[in-house]
Amino acid sequence: HNMRRQKDRYGPRYCQLNINVPILRLWFNVEMELKEEFRLSRRAMTNLQRLLKRDQDHGWGYQLEILMYTYWLAHGLSYRVVASVFNIPKATVHRVVHRVANYICRNLGRAISFPKADAMDEIGQGFARLSGSPVFSCVAGAIDGSHIQIKPPHQCHMDYLNYKGFYSINMMAICDSDGRFLDIFVAYPGSVHDTRVMKNSTFCRAQAYPPPGFILVGDGGYPCLETPITLITPYKEPVHERTERRFNFHHSKARSIIERAFGMMKTRWRSTLFKALEVKHTFAPLVVATCAFLHNICLDDGDQLEPDNDILEDVFEPRPPREPFLHNEAPANARRDGMAAMMNN
């Protein structure tokens, strides 16, 4: 075992690591990089452990548990592989993985949250640069959904069959101009349309974002909305007016950052997210949420990577047609027309 149980007058405690285990020798050698084994840089791993620090006076130390969890993600969710590498029982790995995933998901706000008011102008300027037009300086985020492949349950498996023809859960996310996730919602099976996922998400129900004067941008699978949230989508193709074509061009450049964010996340955790998740469908949303959490940790520490081309091709696949408006929704066609007209000035 990696820890030796010792007893004192206060009862049993776990205190001493067996640093002869190769993976732990790697961790304790501060000159060695971690990315090949853990998919995180040493700096990102250290800051992750600091961010998730908690009091723990029994069982495995939280630093070791985080190492085990990220190794599990990096190597395709294999409890057997982690047990062998860390020289601990597979049942222990299972308990640790579930404990860490649940802890991260209870603390998502430590890395994933909407920006404060004083950061909005900077985010808007970032989208203006992405789009190539100052008209998009009012953008507070890009929104989209991504399908994460899973092994469906025997019962109600058709609920998980998406329009692409495989079983999945749907991850909705909003990101800023740097590809950092501001909000995620991982709750619905793959057959549910992106629009319905968005309308049932926490942020949309609470009308928590974007703030007044700002908008979100999304692809043509979403409705162009003024209320209950402000979401601007492209003009429906094919467009014939030059103004509409210009708007769609710049709009596409602005919103493409969300596809890149998904691509970066899936590339980092390729062994986990580019195949069917090897966990129960009820646990899969927690795994996906932790991947998004770690994506932000890496970006915050300058640990960036380029998305693999095959993953980007998958992310950029076309979406199903948008759903009709509901009685409490107002279209934002006039606002979109106004933005398009400003590009002629």
Side-chain angles (χ1 to χ4, degrees), residues 126-185:
F127 276 103
R129 289 191 296 272
L130 280 177
S131 68
S133 170
V135 170
F136 286 87
S137 61
C138 61
V139 176
I143 186 171
D144 204 354
S146 182
H147 287 273
I148 310 296
Q149 190 173 354
I150 67 163
K151 291 186 175 180
H154 292 299
Q155 294 181 335
C156 65
H157 66 278
M158 290 304 295
D159 291 345
Y160 292 85
L161 185 64
N162 64 40
Y163 71 96
K164 297 181 179 182
F166 63 86
Y167 299 105
S168 68
I169 54 175
N170 196 321
M171 173 187 175
M172 187 214 76
I174 302 170
C175 78
D176 66 13
S177 54
D178 294 320
R180 191 178 189 279
F181 293 126
L182 304 177
D183 189 62
I184 63 168
F185 185 65

Side-chain angles (χ1 to χ4, degrees), residues 21 27 53 101 143 145 148 209 240 270 304 334:
V21 175
W27 165 244
K53 184 177 181 179
I143 186 171
I148 310 296
Y209 202 73
H240 303 290
R270 183 187 183 98
Q304 300 189 29

